[in-house]
Amino acid sequence: MREPDVLPGGGTSWDQWGVQVPRGRRLRTRRPLFAALLSCLLPGAGQLYLGRRRRGWAMLAVTVVSLVMAVGLLSEPTALSRMVVQPGALLALLMADVGLLVFRAVAVVDAYLLASRGRVLAPPRQLRRSAAAGLAGILALTAAPHAAAAFYDLQAYDLLTTVFAGSDPGWKASGRGGGGNLVTAIPGRVTVLLLGGDAGPDRQGLRTDTMIVASFEPKTGKAALFGLPRNLVQAPLPPGPAADFFGGRGFPRPLNELYAFAELERRDLFPAGERPGVLAVAGAAETLLGLPIDHYALVDLKGFVDVVNALGGVTVEVTKPIRVEVDRLGAEGSRPAFELQPGRRHLNGFTALAYVRSRKTTSDYDRMQRQRCLLGSLARQTDPAEVLRAFPKLVNVVKRSIATDIPASRLPDLLEAAGGRRARVSTVGFTPPTYAAGWSAGYPIPDVPLIQGTVRKLLRLPGGAAPKQGGTAAGGSPAQPTTTRAPAKQQETCAAIG
């Protein structure tokens, strides 16, 4: 059929589908899919394109308000960080995400229907199918960012409600932890016990090779890290069955075996709970330092390996040869020992762990430097896109490798306290001979009065005199607070790169 001519005084015309419309009803060309796409990109734009100004401006107003709120939230990092660590706030964000998705989908469908309205006859079936497919594609494009945001929101919610559930009854029964607000044993000070260890194939149970008590003063931004040597023997225990069992002489084995002793051998000597090992180490740390502990965090070193692998490894600049021995922490595979030569080296999780733990041919100072530069390199080399890509895997790693009593309700206050000002960190390692009162079978016995005096002096706490300047500990060294800083002229064993 030949397309009729358009007569000046009226007649017939054809719409975009090739359908004849009555004389005098010549329609303005309207493109439903183009209008729908405009409203997908900017809700209300498609309606304005079609001449529906009132509806279009109303949708644009809602869009502008939503954008202003989003920009305002992103411009306040503190407010945003408080939201993303609160399960209730994450649920609110999820609902807002769903609401925006519904609004945008309505705008898309509305623009499509407005552009399609006015046809006398339905378009051919093939064209209807093509239009439906096109509309479905535009709706999928509209929903994609909202689906991604919902996925990450639910992942974060799952992380907070599992790892930060604060559901350790033993820790709460011990009188630690407090409520949802930032109420601590020492007002104005947050003290956390940080434990790191692994249960490798050649040992029974988990050994806490890393024991650090971190005490932070939010008001001043000052933080103190107290390192507890893993080979201390006769570490004091708090009054109770365990102290009585050992006759008040402290734990006779190295301190890093206390966790496994409480978990596997004599659970009856320690407070009942999900993790008596944590309670045992916390009690010993409090008694040794004379400092009450508010919270704990236990990290399995396998988690460190998984995090590095999830982020694609880490590259460091090795400046001195160092011998490393790879420990696969129970996983199948070889356990090579080799010398890591100077230069840029890309390390996977197991090699990175061996690199930061190596101590047979280097000092503790070297090991601390390696830990610092490796973490710095990892932070510099990890961009937000890579974190987002690895986020689901990272969530699983954290859920599997970290245990803590810190409830999610406390995270906003802790983050605000830690981020309110730039922290000034002091580190003290209670290592021999300065803090040794003697030796037992080659292991140092802690000088408890000297250690407690050092803690009180550094934290400016009442309760006794600080160690006298110029005094001497049992090991023959000056009784002064010492920090774990390397000598000024010592060569760094690696350099952070990014």
Side-chain angles (χ1 to χ4, degrees):
M1 178 182 297
R2 184 178 63 86
E3 180 179 2
D5 295 328
V6 179
L7 302 178
T12 58
S13 182
W14 296 77
D15 71 0
Q16 62 179 327
W17 303 107
V19 178
Q20 189 174 358
V21 298
R23 180 179 301 178
R25 294 282 304 277
R26 181 179 183 182
L27 297 178
R28 175 185 174 185
T29 301
R30 294 174 177 175
R31 301 172 182 173
L33 293 181
F34 181 68
L37 181 60
L38 286 178
S39 283
C40 167
L41 300 176
L42 185 63
Q47 284 74 8
L48 290 176
Y49 164 74
L50 296 171
R52 299 302 183 98
R53 295 183 179 180
R54 181 176 298 179
R55 187 177 301 187
W57 284 117
M59 289 184 173
L60 277 178
V62 175
T63 303
V64 170
V65 170
S66 301
L67 289 175
V68 169
M69 293 177 62
V71 171
L73 187 61
L74 293 175
S75 64
E76 293 289 341
T78 301
L80 183 61
S81 63
R82 290 182 68 90
M83 290 188 68
V84 298
V85 295
Q86 296 183 80
L90 287 175
L91 289 178
L93 288 175
L94 179 62
M95 296 302 296
D97 181 57
V98 172
L100 284 174
L101 172 59
V102 172
F103 167 68
R104 293 187 64 201
V106 167
V108 168
V109 174
D110 180 68
Y112 179 86
L113 294 177
L114 286 175
S116 302
R117 191 175 299 169
R119 290 192 296 269
V120 177
L121 299 176
R125 179 178 299 178
Q126 183 177 1
L127 291 178
R128 290 203 306 269
R129 289 179 178 176
S130 299
L135 179 60
I138 294 175
L139 287 174
L141 179 64
T142 304
H146 297 277
F151 173 75
Y152 286 108
D153 187 291
L154 291 174
Q155 289 285 312
Y157 180 83
D158 181 37
L159 177 65
L160 291 176
T161 54
T162 52
V163 176
F164 297 97
S167 59
D168 190 336
W171 188 264
K172 291 182 179 179
S174 68
R176 303 180 177 97
N181 297 325
L182 197 57
V183 179
T184 54
I186 300 178
R189 180 170 294 280
V190 185
T191 303
V192 181
L193 173 65
L194 306 175
L195 301 175
D198 64 84
D202 56 347
R203 61 181 61 172
Q204 183 182 20
L206 182 145
R207 291 187 182 181
T208 51
D209 285 343
T210 299
M211 292 170 284
I212 298 174
V213 175
S215 190
F216 183 72
E217 193 175 41
K219 185 177 180 180
T220 63
K222 292 182 179 179
L225 303 179
F226 302 108
L228 307 182
R230 65 193 195 102
N231 61 345
L232 287 180
V233 295
Q234 299 183 24
L237 299 172
D244 296 338
F245 179 78
F246 293 113
R249 294 185 299 273
F251 186 60
R253 305 181 193 174
L255 184 58
N256 71 330
E257 297 183 20
L258 179 58
Y259 181 96
F261 176 79
E263 291 277 339
L264 303 177
E265 298 183 41
R266 295 300 303 269
R267 294 175 71 98
D268 59 302
L269 298 179
F270 301 93
E274 295 180 1
R275 297 179 179 84
V278 171
L279 292 169
V281 177
E286 287 181 329
T287 308
L288 178 64
L289 302 180
L291 181 66
I293 294 173
D294 302 305
H295 297 290
Y296 76 87
L298 173 65
V299 181
D300 186 345
L301 291 180
K302 181 66 165 59
F304 171 82
V305 172
D306 292 336
V307 168
V308 174
N309 285 335
L311 296 176
V314 58
T315 302
V316 296
E317 185 77 29
V318 180
T319 59
K320 292 197 305 185
I322 179 173
R323 183 169 182 79
V324 298
E325 298 179 1
V326 175
D327 183 354
R328 302 188 67 85
L329 305 177
E332 295 183 357
S334 61
R335 301 174 60 182
F338 57 92
E339 191 169 81
L340 200 61
Q341 296 298 323
R344 286 202 171 192
R345 306 297 176 203
H346 188 76
L347 311 178
N348 63 20
F350 286 113
T351 308
L353 179 63
Y355 179 63
V356 298
R357 295 180 74 192
S358 178
R359 58 178 176 267
K360 291 186 177 180
T361 59
T362 62
S363 68
D364 283 338
Y365 295 131
D366 291 329
R367 183 165 60 165
M368 291 176 63
Q369 292 167 356
R370 291 195 301 274
Q371 292 171 354
R372 183 182 66 225
C373 76
L374 186 137
L375 291 176
S377 295
L378 189 64
R380 290 181 176 89
Q381 296 164 27
T382 303
D383 56 37
E386 193 169 13
V387 173
L388 285 176
R389 177 188 57 80
F391 188 70
K393 189 180 296 184
L394 292 175
V395 168
N396 292 330
V397 170
V398 173
K399 289 171 60 178
R400 184 175 63 250
S401 305
I402 295 180
T404 181
D405 78 298
I406 301 175
S409 58
R410 276 203 169 186
L411 289 177
D413 292 320
L414 289 173
L415 286 177
E416 185 173 352
R421 62 179 68 216
R422 187 172 184 177
R424 291 170 288 172
V425 182
S426 300
T427 61
V428 180
F430 295 119
T431 56
T434 302
Y435 294 98
W439 300 83
S440 176
Y443 293 106
I445 300 172
D447 187 336
V448 178
L450 177 61
I451 290 174
Q452 292 185 356
T454 301
V455 171
R456 289 195 299 269
K457 182 176 181 180
L458 183 61
L459 302 184
R460 306 180 311 280
L461 299 176
K468 295 181 180 179
Q469 297 295 326
T472 304
S477 298
Q480 301 179 31
T482 61
T483 61
T484 52
R485 296 175 182 171
K489 295 183 179 180
Q490 181 174 352
Q491 182 184 0
E492 295 275 352
T493 54
C494 70
I497 61 176

